[in-house]
Amino acid sequence: MQVTTKAIVLSAIKYGDTSLIVKAFTASDGIKSYLLKGVLASKKGKLKPALFQPLTQLELVAYHKNKGTLERIKEAKVVHPYKTIHSNIIKNSIVLFLSEMLSNSIQEEQKEQALYNYLEYSLIWLDENHANPNYHILFLVNLTKFLGFYPDESQTDGNYFDLLEGNFRTTPNLNPLLENEANTLLKRFLGINFDAIMQIKTTKQHRLELLNKWILYYELHLQGFRKPKSLAVLNAVFQ
């Protein structure tokens, strides 16, 4: 079946000498993987490898068989040309990290329009604003709303956040916990939008502690989730 859909590129992996396998989150059908035969060798073809950089926003004309196999792209064009994301080293590092997180987190082959809208808005915000070391943390905190394990905000007085249960506690238990400054910092990220991250003042140490524990939070709640390899690169640019 031929479909026309918006899509956000999550990864592009070389296949053989001349082809790519592209994984994308589509507005029409959720996660899809495409085989682009000969795209690395053809200079005259409509599909250019540069179109498939991480988190590029595209409009695709594609053929979806919906049988769990690799699909095919007929046409692709950029729908939101980024002005800064791929040229700014900090933003590019954020994008590489988030593309890996998304690739490991989103697993459904079904339409999820609210999630697509969130990703679209978040990436445009990043492109149009100054790089901020709090951006990717808020991105990942808010992403859990769509993945089904956003923190329970009914009781936020506790000094501990239970990473297994997803709620705040007044006393510790044997589960992995956020505590002290990292717990306080998490509360500041709850319920805010990206414009508010400029007001969050913290240290690199506390931000890194929260990020590492938040990645563990994903590991505990998503089957098969793998810790992103690009995390070390991201940490290096925020020295």
Side-chain angles (χ1 to χ4, degrees):
M1 178 178 66
Q2 180 173 304
V3 300
T4 300
T5 179
K6 290 196 291 186
I8 297 173
V9 177
L10 300 184
S11 66
I13 301 172
K14 189 176 180 181
Y15 180 73
D17 293 329
T18 62
S19 302
L20 286 176
I21 294 177
V22 172
K23 185 178 182 181
F25 181 59
T26 68
S28 64
D29 295 282
I31 290 292
K32 284 291 179 184
S33 293
Y34 302 94
L35 177 60
L36 280 57
K37 289 185 178 180
V39 69
L40 299 177
S42 174
K43 296 181 180 180
K44 297 181 180 179
K46 293 182 180 179
L47 299 178
K48 305 297 183 184
L51 289 169
F52 302 100
Q53 295 182 70
L55 301 190
T56 300
Q57 298 184 40
L58 302 174
E59 181 180 86
L60 303 179
V61 178
Y63 297 103
H64 289 176
K65 294 182 179 179
N66 298 318
K67 294 182 179 179
T69 57
L70 293 172
E71 312 286 16
R72 186 161 61 92
I73 296 174
K74 180 183 179 183
E75 300 174 15
K77 65 179 181 180
V78 175
V79 293
H80 182 82
Y82 294 137
K83 300 173 184 176
T84 64
I85 279 181
H86 293 308
S87 58
N88 180 296
I89 188 171
I90 295 178
K91 291 185 180 182
N92 194 46
S93 299
I94 291 172
V95 160
L96 289 174
F97 169 71
L98 292 180
S99 65
E100 197 174 355
M101 287 291 296
L102 290 168
S103 187
N104 291 339
S105 301
I106 307 174
Q107 301 161 352
E108 297 297 328
E109 288 192 33
Q110 64 184 32
K111 183 175 182 177
E112 298 184 59
Q113 191 63 51
L115 173 54
Y116 191 92
N117 292 345
Y118 170 69
L119 299 182
E120 187 177 56
Y121 163 78
S122 302
L123 293 169
I124 292 173
W125 190 96
L126 176 63
D127 187 48
E128 295 179 348
N129 290 272
H130 292 296
N132 185 288
N134 293 323
Y135 171 87
H136 52 285
I137 297 178
L138 181 59
F139 182 101
L140 293 177
V141 170
N142 285 342
L143 181 61
T144 61
K145 292 179 182 178
F146 306 96
L147 299 177
F149 51 98
Y150 188 73
D152 181 356
E153 295 184 272
S154 60
Q155 297 288 338
T156 58
D157 294 336
N159 294 324
Y160 306 90
F161 179 73
D162 188 323
L163 292 165
L164 191 60
E165 298 297 332
N167 56 24
F168 292 93
R169 299 178 51 85
T170 56
T171 57
N173 59 13
L174 297 179
N175 291 340
L177 300 171
L178 266 179
E179 53 189 308
N180 302 322
E181 288 81 1
N183 178 66
T184 301
L185 185 57
L186 171 61
K187 294 177 185 179
R188 299 185 65 188
F189 281 102
L190 298 179
I192 68 170
N193 59 29
F194 286 107
D195 291 328
I197 59 175
M198 313 293 186
Q199 302 168 17
I200 296 179
K201 305 300 181 184
T202 184
T203 66
K204 178 190 174 183
Q205 178 185 348
H206 295 153
R207 190 171 58 244
L208 184 59
E209 180 184 357
L210 175 57
L211 179 59
N212 285 331
K213 286 292 182 70
W214 205 247
I215 291 173
L216 174 60
Y217 189 50
Y218 274 64
E219 291 183 74
L220 292 170
H221 290 270
L222 293 173
Q223 185 175 6
F225 179 85
R226 301 184 305 277
K227 187 175 180 178
K229 296 178 181 178
S230 54
L231 178 59
V233 177
L234 180 70
N235 291 337
V237 302
F238 286 119
Q239 288 283 0

